[in-house]
Amino acid sequence: MEITIIAFVTFAAFLIGRAVKNKKLSFSYTVYERAGIRSDLGLEELLSRLENTMPESYAAHVKKRVIGEGQIREEDYDYYEMELKRFFLLSAILKEVPMYNEKVDEIWHAMLMFTREYERFCEDYKGNMIHHAPSVGNTTEERAFFEWVYGRLFLTNEETHRTYGRFFQQPLSKNIIENFNDLSHDELKETYFQTHTSEEAANVIDRLIQQLQYDIQHVKSGSYKKSSSRLRDGTDSVSMIPLMIFYSDTCSTHDQYCERMNDHSPSHTSTHHHDHHHSCSGHSCSSHSCSSGSSCSSSSCGSSS
């Protein structure tokens, strides 16, 4: 009888373990149509330019190389390719764009292996090279600004946090808040955005600056209700942006900022499955962390215009 019970328990444990393992293996990411761009900032034309300047044959060769080397599962590839598209969109808009995910960076690395095709893509899409070169230390200020802009341009969900680490764990610098409150449109463009880019990108930049200025003014005027904002599992995190700005501006320490922001985040939310950890307890970067202008880790790399 004892042996039968032990055998049953062992078999049940095996089945549970296999179910958990299969659940992890079957995890898949949502690939948004049109890269999940928001429709109010003129990104449609810039995305069309990006996709039209990336030949299907080139994209297919890159995919074959990455999957063949076992860097990304075939069923997950389209998701990471979508995130690379988002990175290239940001690279046409911002002066500096951190790269926070190793797998997205692997696709970028593979693109570079096809030298002539990559050079032609960059020239047709952006008008100049998107360089992938060593760069120096990434900062929490850059991370917070990245999240603010990323959240304004793209739809996000729980999978975004799995990919990049949880958002809203780093406060915007008071200097950035003051700049977007005080500087003119042209001064902000010169400081934070690409000044030599395509007409499609320039259109997005103008609209984006207006949105970011509105975000700051909206918070400083007290026109929003911070108690009504809360990040829930699987939902778009754009509702957290006013809170991010408010607590960045009013909290005196990083720990205080984290405590206030976490009051509006689900305490049970898991951050497993993501490829880059980023939390209130510290800022860490992957060994392949790259950026459009800046990055972190001793073997960091990046792209610059």
Side-chain angles (χ1 to χ4, degrees), residues 22-37:
N22 287 341
K23 184 178 180 182
K24 290 181 180 178
L25 289 175
S26 64
F27 178 83
S28 60
Y29 294 94
T30 300
V31 181
Y32 289 110
E33 291 185 9
R34 303 291 287 163
I37 58 174

Side-chain angles (χ1 to χ4, degrees), residues 45-46 49 197-205:
E45 291 183 0
L46 182 59
R49 182 184 181 92
T197 190
S198 67
E199 180 180 347
E200 294 91 341
N203 179 46
V204 175
I205 290 169

Side-chain angles (χ1 to χ4, degrees), residues 67-178:
I67 292 175
E69 292 178 354
Q71 297 163 340
I72 298 175
R73 299 188 308 171
E74 185 169 4
E75 56 266 38
D76 294 334
Y77 185 87
D78 288 348
Y79 172 80
Y80 290 110
E81 184 182 54
M82 178 194 75
E83 287 297 341
L84 183 61
K85 287 181 181 179
R86 290 179 167 190
F87 176 80
F88 284 140
L89 290 172
L90 287 167
S91 295
I93 296 167
L94 300 177
K95 279 190 174 179
E96 298 181 352
V97 186
M99 167 66 79
Y100 289 111
N101 184 274
E102 289 184 9
K103 291 183 179 179
V104 179
D105 186 45
E106 291 291 357
I107 303 178
W108 191 13
H109 271 282
M111 288 183 67
L112 286 162
M113 297 298 100
F114 301 89
T115 310
R116 285 176 295 184
E117 289 86 348
Y118 183 73
E119 290 178 353
R120 189 178 304 117
F121 158 70
C122 290
E123 186 61 34
D124 292 344
Y125 168 58
K126 190 170 176 284
N128 51 47
M129 281 292 290
I130 304 173
H131 293 289
H132 194 284
S135 55
V136 295
N138 182 264
T139 66
T140 56
E141 178 178 310
E142 288 171 337
R143 170 71 189 204
F145 186 63
F146 166 83
E147 292 174 6
W148 184 20
V149 174
Y150 185 100
R152 275 297 169 209
L153 293 177
F154 309 117
L155 298 174
T156 64
N157 58 21
E158 179 61 19
E159 292 159 5
T160 309
H161 302 287
R162 289 190 179 101
T163 304
Y164 294 112
R166 187 143 304 279
F167 276 26
F168 310 120
Q169 301 299 290
Q170 303 297 334
L172 283 166
S173 75
K174 288 179 169 52
N175 182 58
I176 287 179
I177 293 174
E178 290 172 3

Side-chain angles (χ1 to χ4, degrees), residues 251-264:
C251 290
S252 57
T253 67
H254 181 271
D255 287 344
Q256 186 183 46
Y257 167 84
C258 283
E259 183 180 351
R260 297 293 183 271
M261 289 300 292
N262 287 337
D263 286 343
H264 297 269

Side-chain angles (χ1 to χ4, degrees), residues 289-300:
S289 179
C290 303
S291 73
S292 171
S294 64
S295 164
C296 58
S297 86
S298 58
S299 59
S300 63

